[in-house]
Amino acid sequence: MYNGELELTLDEKKDSISGSYAITIPPGIVHGFRFMPGAEGVVLSIADPLLAYQKNQVSPGYFGDILDHPQVMNFSQKNVLLTQLVQYLSLIKGESERTDAGYQLMQEWLIQMVLMSLKRLY
């Protein structure tokens, strides 16, 4: 979430958060979001096989701390990682609208950049 307020449900626990946050939720966790009016952000869902590949093949063990358990990470004001993350998410959206050669591979690389940004924030 770039800015705003939301109610977050993880399993049966509910929290309200406001500001700029990144939230990671591993497969199998029951979750829900209720965004308040004016909230801005993106929900990026990554297919479990791609997550497993990133976690186990590309960078074994490196992203486990942000992918194995739910994480709610707060961005400080004017955080450069938030700026980068917004750019990467915009590029992923752009690639999802393409059909030319390499768009899927480009999305995978951009997802790895998102994961690295989240790892640095963590």
Side-chain angles (χ1 to χ4, degrees):
M1 182 170 66
Y2 306 147
N3 189 26
E5 186 177 349
L6 72 83
E7 285 184 9
L8 170 66
T9 303
L10 294 173
D11 284 330
E12 295 181 16
K13 184 181 177 201
K14 288 188 179 189
D15 283 312
S16 290
I17 60 175
S18 64
S20 301
Y21 284 85
I23 303 165
T24 61
I25 304 169
I29 301 292
V30 177
H31 61 281
F33 304 104
R34 187 169 149 246
F35 294 94
M36 300 303 135
E40 300 175 287
V42 172
V43 175
L44 175 65
S45 297
I46 303 171
D48 193 33
L50 180 57
L51 265 183
Y53 174 72
Q54 290 291 336
K55 194 168 87 172
N56 300 318
Q57 300 296 320
V58 175
S59 304
Y62 194 74
F63 296 120
D65 46 7
I66 62 169
L67 297 178
D68 290 341
H69 307 284
Q71 300 294 335
V72 178
M73 298 172 275
N74 186 10
F75 289 98
S76 62
Q77 294 281 1
K78 305 286 183 185
N79 190 311
V80 69
L81 290 174
L82 177 59
T83 301
Q84 289 174 340
L85 193 61
V86 169
Q87 291 170 343
Y88 301 152
L89 292 168
S90 177
L91 290 168
I92 289 170
K93 182 180 185 297
E95 288 297 322
S96 72
E97 297 167 355
R98 299 181 75 134
T99 57
D100 51 339
Y103 75 93
Q104 289 177 316
L105 187 56
M106 183 66 83
Q107 285 179 323
E108 289 179 25
W109 291 337
L110 290 165
I111 287 168
Q112 191 163 1
M113 293 171 75
V114 166
L115 293 174
M116 183 58 71
S117 295
L118 294 175
K119 173 71 175 187
R120 289 176 175 174
L121 178 63
Y122 179 78

